[in-house]
Amino acid sequence: MNDNDCLFCKIVAGEIPSKRVRETQRVLAFRDINPKTPTHVLVIPKDHYADVADLVHADPELAAETLAVAAAVADDEGVTGSGWRLLANSGPDAGQEVFHMHLHVFGGKPLGPMISA
Ligand code: 5GP
Ligand code: ZN
């Protein structure tokens, strides 16, 4: 199911261009438009879920597949050995901007402390 007003649903539909790096029938990985690290890829379920809790409650298998695609992207990017970070923002305190669940895959340089004070 898609949401007409959702940016990432439009990316899934190809209405907004993106640099796709990996895709399954139900999951899409594409480069973040404003990369924070040399590798910065977003991994999303193609169906619309607002955040991690929504996805995991509705379809735990799809949540697992999304996680597996993130790990495959890390492999593709050559950062499995050097190290990488997975991040999912949920809600206002986390600063979530796009309310279509996404995993950030960061890597390609030392990533510093886990979180700023
Ligand atoms: P959030 O803050 O919701 O976790 O992250 C949203 C991410 O989406 C940000 O890192 C932002 O750079 C990225 N983003 C926003 N608009 C676009 C877009 O049109 N295309 C792509 N590829 N990434 C986007
Ligand atoms: Zn969406």
Side-chain angles (χ1 to χ4, degrees):
M1 201 174 64
N2 280 11
D3 178 334
N4 287 336
D5 293 327
C6 170
L7 180 66
F8 287 176
C9 284
K10 288 178 180 160
I11 282 178
V12 170
E15 291 163 18
I16 292 176
S18 68
K19 292 183 184 163
R20 297 183 177 216
V21 297
R22 185 174 264 271
E23 191 169 358
T24 67
Q25 209 177 336
R26 301 211 294 163
V27 176
L28 176 65
F30 56 98
R31 295 200 187 281
D32 196 289
I33 202 167
N34 180 24
K36 303 279 194 293
T37 52
T39 288
H40 187 177
V41 173
L42 303 175
V43 185
I44 67 172
K46 290 182 178 176
D47 284 345
H48 182 90
Y49 298 97
D51 58 22
V52 172
D54 256 23
L55 169 63
V56 110
H57 291 144
D59 194 337
E61 274 185 27
L62 181 54
E65 187 177 334
T66 308
L67 196 57
V69 169
V73 166
D75 239 1
D76 294 342
E77 297 285 308
V79 298
T80 300
S82 52
W84 55 292
R85 182 172 291 159
L86 200 57
L87 177 81
N89 290 318
S90 286
D93 278 0
Q96 185 178 5
E97 289 173 359
V98 178
F99 289 84
H100 181 132
M101 184 275 177
H102 51 281
L103 301 175
H104 295 258
V105 175
F106 295 113
K109 70 169 194 182
L111 296 172
M114 185 164 62
I115 206 161
S116 61

